[in-house]
């Protein structure tokens, strides 16, 4: 895809948080095209399966290339694209169910390799597309269609998970503020390595957390959301860990390590040193 498919008729529910993430991605893409002078076709979006993954079909205006693959496998697909065409900017769009449940096993290996892609995760604490089952980020005890007696597992802590697994750029955002989110996505795209932009993007139909996140003075609900202070040292892993422990919803860049080589740079280095082999030599190498 680099043209919008007029026959794809998926629609988000009115008020879905994913509208704000879509706007943020559109803004981030516009910024990127201005910054780099490259065409929209220099970008590829790899989507997970879920309401969130449908974002790849719903972008307004010029379209990047898009791959709507299979459930939980955005990272292997993104790795394939990046290895074949390292010059492309690869962005993943997926949900908490897709990325942190069936897809969770891929995060550690790609963090260790420092795959140079930017993953934007829309976390609504539920499987929205399949009508409201619990996901890894659903709170313990919550009653859903798949947990009629309350969820038995504690909720995953995605930011802590990314930090522990060695992701080299971690940002946290909210779909209710697309401009701020776009800035975080741009920073993630510009980072040379694996970047995670984890977004709270409420599902108004099955788990509406908008009021909890933004707060409501009349109802006496304190906002969960807070801005990461400017003096936070994003290069300090212990400071990043301490910041995540403060709970609530921090907005900003939590951690960034620019000292590591990205996987595509490492592969380029190896290729540049390797001598050319003929087809016969390559086949002979397998002969016992
Ligand atoms: C292999 C496989 N297992 C299960 C499904 C069913 N399925 C489709 S989307 C989904 C979960 C989506 O949740 P999430 O990623 O949080 O996306 P949301 O709809 O909440 O944005 C599941 C279980 C599937 N499509 N493929
Ligand atoms: S079910 Fe939830 S996540 Fe899916 S479109 Fe509706 S509000 Fe959005
Ligand atoms: Mg979800």
């Amino acid at each position: 895809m680099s043209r919008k498919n007029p026959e794809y008729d998926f629609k988000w529910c009115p008020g879905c948080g994913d509208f704000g993430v879509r706007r943020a991605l559109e803004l981030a893409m516009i910024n990127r095209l201005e910054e780099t002078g490259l065409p929209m076709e220099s970008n590829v979006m790899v989507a997970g399966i879920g309401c969130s993954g449908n974002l790849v079909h719903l972008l307004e205006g010029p379209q990047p290339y898009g791959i709507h693959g299979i459930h939980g496998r955005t990272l292997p697909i993104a790795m394939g694209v990046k290895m074949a065409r390292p010059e492309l900017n690869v962005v993943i769009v997926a949900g908490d169910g897709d990325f942190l449940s069936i897809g969770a096993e891929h995060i550690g290996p790609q963090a260790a390799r420092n795959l140079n892609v930017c993953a934007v995760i829309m976390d609504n604490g539920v499987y929205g597309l399949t009508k409201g089952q619990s996901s890894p980020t659903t709170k313990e005890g919550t009653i859903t269609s798949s947990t009629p007696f309350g969820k038995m597992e504690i909720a995953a802590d995605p930011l802590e998970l990314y930090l522990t697994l060695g992701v080299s750029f971690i940002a946290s955002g909210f779909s209710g503020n697309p401009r701020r989110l776009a800035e975080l996505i741009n920073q993630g795209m510009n980072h040379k390595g694996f970047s995670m932009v984890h977004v709270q993007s409420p599902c108004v139909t099955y788990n509406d957390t908008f009021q909890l996140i933004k707060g409501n003075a009349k109802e006496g609900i304190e906002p969960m959301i807070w801005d990461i202070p400017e003096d936070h040292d994003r290069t300090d892993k212990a400071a990043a860990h301490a910041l995540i422990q403060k709970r609530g919803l921090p907005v900003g860049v939590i951690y960034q390590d620019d000292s590591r080589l990205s996987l595509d740079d490492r592969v380029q280095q190896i290729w540049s040193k390797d001598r050319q082999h003929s087809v016969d030599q390559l086949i002979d190498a397998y002969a016992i």
Side-chain angles (χ1 to χ4, degrees), residues 114-118 168-169 188 191-195 261-264:
N114 208 16
L115 177 70
N116 188 7
V117 302
C118 175
S168 58
F169 177 100
H191 174 70
K192 283 285 261 170
F194 191 14
S195 56
L261 212 55
S262 68
L263 177 65
D264 45 317

Side-chain angles (χ1 to χ4, degrees), residues 110-116 166 168 191-194 257-270 273:
Q110 299 302 3
R113 293 181 185 123
N114 208 16
L115 177 70
N116 188 7
S168 58
H191 174 70
K192 283 285 261 170
F194 191 14
D257 179 1
D258 285 326
S259 68
R260 287 170 58 196
L261 212 55
S262 68
L263 177 65
D264 45 317
D265 280 349
R266 197 182 290 269
V267 169
Q268 292 301 323
Q269 276 188 5
I270 293 168
K273 284 185 204 141

Side-chain angles (χ1 to χ4, degrees), residues 33-66:
L33 301 194
E34 276 174 16
E35 269 175 24
T36 61
L38 293 168
M40 186 53 117
E41 286 80 5
S42 63
N43 298 285
V44 181
M45 239 177 234
V46 180
I49 305 299
C51 297
S52 39
N54 278 287
L55 191 151
V56 72
H57 302 280
L58 299 173
L59 290 165
E60 297 292 345
Q63 303 286 305
Y65 284 104

